[in-house]
Amino acid sequence: GQNIDQPTEMTATEGAIVQINCTYQTSGFNGLFWYQQHAGEAPTFLSYNVLDGLEEKGRFSSFLSRSKGYSYLLLKELQMKDSASYLCAVKWDYKLSFGAGTTVTVRA
Amino acid sequence: AAGVIQSPRHLIKEKRETATLKCYPIPRHDTVYWYQQGPGQDPQFLISFYEKMQSDKGSIPDRFSAQQFSDYHSELNMSSLELGDSALYFCASSSTPGTPTEAFFGQGTRLTVV
């Protein structure tokens, strides 16, 4: 199988930084995506990485190390609206597989 | 910008009935993925299509079938519905499988089986 592991839950304070780690099986890897999902809504695309390194998009950054099968999503200057589930997804050829998601709770 | 369109948004069916869900991908996207998401669960991959051919199959029950048409829209047909089929069904589209590309989701169809 294509195991994707990420923490189940994380809690942080408004204005803080949170890092969500994701590890995956490396064989056949063809890109890694991060999605944000609020309950009952569709996943919203945040970022994707295919090469090693850091991709920055405003308050969100994503990092990838292909040799280690590792990625993280960094959320900076947390806002209450960032409370959501964050899904790590890995693309292998014709399949996009998801991790179980990390529920991030932002507290005032 | 055009996004992935799914219809209907909500659907209520009785047990043993049939349901058809539709997905219209982003223009020029030739790959469609279907996912099922139960309450509190991550999206589970059902099936994908590339250029109107099935490209991969996940945990799709035999009671379900799907196809992609010449205009690249896709339909998921679900027969002999069971209570456990109640879930959010998402469709995502992307272009050119085998190369890194973004995948975008539709808003989903909420299916309730009663």
Side-chain angles (χ1 to χ4, degrees):
Chain A
Q2 293 128 353
N3 295 324
I4 303 173
D5 293 316
Q6 53 181 128
T8 304
E9 295 179 340
M10 302 185 76
T11 301
T13 306
E14 198 174 12
I17 298 173
V18 68
Q19 177 175 316
I20 306 170
N21 297 324
C22 173
T23 58
Y24 62 90
Q25 182 177 310
T26 58
S27 61
F29 174 81
N30 200 13
L32 186 141
F33 300 78
W34 285 96
Y35 290 88
Q36 180 192 62
Q37 187 177 30
H38 289 98
E41 298 181 7
T44 302
F45 172 82
L46 291 178
S47 69
Y48 88 96
N49 297 67
V50 60
L51 299 175
D52 292 349
L54 187 68
E55 294 281 343
E56 296 189 83
K57 282 188 178 183
R59 296 189 298 113
F60 295 174
S61 303
S62 57
F63 171 83
L64 177 68
S65 169
R66 289 172 296 171
S67 62
K68 295 181 180 178
Y70 167 72
S71 172
Y72 68 72
L73 179 69
L74 194 69
L75 314 179
K76 294 178 279 189
E77 300 171 16
L78 280 172
Q79 301 175 10
M80 300 300 289
K81 67 179 182 180
D82 297 329
S83 293
S85 180
Y86 291 85
L87 304 168
C88 171
V90 180
K91 189 163 181 283
W92 288 278
D93 292 333
Y94 301 103
K95 180 188 294 185
L96 185 63
S97 296
F98 286 83
T102 299
T103 300
V104 172
T105 302
V106 181
R107 294 182 174 169
Chain B
V4 179
I5 306 297
Q6 290 187 246
S7 68
R9 292 293 307 278
H10 302 274
L11 190 59
I12 300 175
K13 290 284 186 178
E14 295 187 353
K15 284 192 302 183
R16 293 178 289 277
E17 283 192 321
T18 298
T20 298
L21 310 185
K22 297 184 179 181
C23 170
Y24 297 86
I26 292 172
R28 292 181 293 281
H29 279 193
D30 49 21
T31 303
V32 168
Y33 309 84
W34 283 99
Y35 294 86
Q36 178 192 59
Q37 188 173 28
Q41 300 179 358
D42 56 302
Q44 296 295 318
F45 173 71
L46 294 178
I47 196 167
S48 63
F49 292 88
Y50 166 62
E51 283 292 342
K52 294 154 281 185
M53 299 287 289
Q54 180 182 309
S55 50
D56 201 356
K57 197 172 182 179
S59 52
I60 183 169
D62 292 339
R63 300 178 289 108
F64 294 6
S65 65
Q67 57 182 324
Q68 186 179 33
F69 295 86
S70 58
D71 64 352
Y72 296 104
H73 94 273
S74 178
E75 295 184 3
L76 178 67
N77 298 294
M78 311 160 70
S79 62
S80 303
L81 286 169
E82 302 173 356
L83 295 178
D85 296 330
S86 295
L88 271 169
Y89 290 84
F90 291 111
C91 164
S93 76
S94 69
S95 59
T96 322
T99 65
T101 182
E102 301 166 352
F104 296 94
F105 283 81
Q107 290 303 301
T109 295
R110 181 177 293 281
L111 173 66
T112 303
V113 182
V114 297

